[in-house]
Amino acid sequence: MLTPPRTVVRREGGLYALERALQRRGFRHVAGADEAGRGACAGPLVAAAAVLPEGKRGEIEGLADSKLLTPLARERIYAQVVKRALAYSVVIIPAAEVDARGLHVCNLQAMRRALASLPVGPEYVLTDGFPLDGMGVPGLAVWKGDRVAACVAAASVLAKVTRDRIMVELDGQFPDYGFSEHKGYVTPEHNAALTEHGPCVEHRFSYINVANASGRDSRPPRSRRPRVLTDPSTLAGEVVPDLSPGEELDLDLMGLGPTGGAS
């Protein structure tokens, strides 16, 4: 039996070369998925998926890995992605769910949910770094995919802008931490605020720096989040009631059950 010829995609072909090669092979709807907030110790994990149209309409001026863009450029490109995409979706995983289920599990779950929420079903899936099984269509995990594939870069911008906006809103609710500046990532200023004020409900207690600030660093990661979070200004010095075995996973009891949605 004859095998189809190999498709060779060279990096110098540009951000759209991989998708164009797949489209020539008959995969018209190529979806990209990426996340934002994986390394943050506060705020949600956000995943996004996008399918860009074929041809010139799918080419967005200045599109690149969201981490390489200025905030102003990200906002401009975000608007273009929303305007031009055949389909896109965004899924938000709150800090409490990251603590309960674990970061990697939440990361894969969020990307699957984002892809499954696309109103146009993808025929091929490209992900940034992490392979996804069980999608029902062929796919490929691409190292630094947001710098190689346009649809992954578009998803990275959707996720990053969405998450940054959330962190700016949280800064208004929790002004002691500087969320609007560092977006919940670990910085000297953020750690200093944690030491002074203790963590708030939007922090990830499974992260060691947050656990240290809360006095719960001796606990296993998934049981560090207190059952009831009190005023952040007094949390660090309080004795928080322990949970019963297994109770740390029953987040609905705390009013912090899993949430998420697609735009």
Side-chain angles (χ1 to χ4, degrees):
M1 183 177 67
L2 295 176
T3 58
R6 293 177 61 207
T7 298
V8 178
V9 180
R10 303 187 184 280
R11 284 185 178 272
E12 56 266 29
L15 194 62
Y16 297 88
L18 180 53
E19 279 152 278
R20 298 295 180 256
L22 289 167
Q23 288 160 354
R24 288 194 297 271
R25 284 298 191 89
F27 300 105
R28 293 187 58 201
H29 299 152
V30 181
D34 200 5
E35 53 74 29
R38 182 178 174 86
C41 67
L45 179 72
V46 178
V51 178
L52 297 176
E54 299 176 76
K56 291 293 185 182
R57 179 167 173 76
E59 297 182 6
I60 299 172
E61 183 180 356
L63 178 62
D65 173 7
S66 63
K67 296 184 290 295
L68 303 178
L69 299 170
T70 65
L72 187 61
R74 280 197 297 266
E75 288 284 350
R76 177 182 61 79
I77 293 170
Y78 175 95
Q80 286 298 308
V81 171
V82 168
K83 179 179 179 180
R84 297 193 189 194
L86 286 178
Y88 71 93
S89 64
V90 179
V91 167
I92 300 167
I93 306 291
E97 189 171 345
V98 173
D99 283 343
R101 301 185 59 124
L103 177 64
H104 188 61
V105 170
C106 286
N107 189 42
L108 298 182
Q109 179 198 57
M111 287 198 290
R112 284 195 186 96
R113 286 168 57 184
L115 288 162
S117 299
L118 289 169
V120 173
E123 298 169 1
Y124 200 99
V125 169
L126 298 173
T127 54
D128 183 24
F130 297 99
L132 290 179
D133 55 15
M135 294 305 303
V137 296
L140 179 67
V142 183
W143 176 248
K144 294 191 179 297
D146 43 12
R147 303 186 188 187
V148 176
C151 58
V152 179
S156 78
V157 170
L158 292 173
K160 174 68 173 167
V161 170
T162 299
R163 189 177 186 281
D164 283 358
R165 291 175 177 177
I166 291 171
M167 297 310 296
V168 170
E169 290 182 5
L170 290 177
D171 186 67
Q173 298 177 44
F174 305 99
D176 293 328
Y177 302 98
F179 288 153
S180 63
E181 295 298 322
H182 51 67
K183 306 301 188 293
Y185 287 89
V186 180
T187 65
E189 293 76 17
H190 192 179
N191 277 335
L194 275 170
T195 299
E196 181 177 359
H197 302 288
C200 72
V201 68
E202 294 296 334
H203 280 97
R204 301 177 188 175
F205 284 74
S206 52
Y207 283 50
I208 190 62
N209 64 322
V210 178
N212 285 338
S214 68
R216 299 177 73 85
D217 50 310
S218 61
R219 285 179 160 272
R222 295 189 190 184
S223 64
R224 289 173 181 164
R225 177 171 286 267
R227 183 174 182 175
V228 178
L229 291 179
T230 56
D231 185 336
S233 64
T234 62
L235 179 61
E238 290 188 355
V239 177
V240 184
D242 288 342
L243 301 181
S244 301
E247 200 172 18
E248 64 271 17
L249 297 181
D250 191 359
L251 297 183
D252 288 339
L253 295 177
M254 297 185 280
L256 295 170
T259 63
S263 61

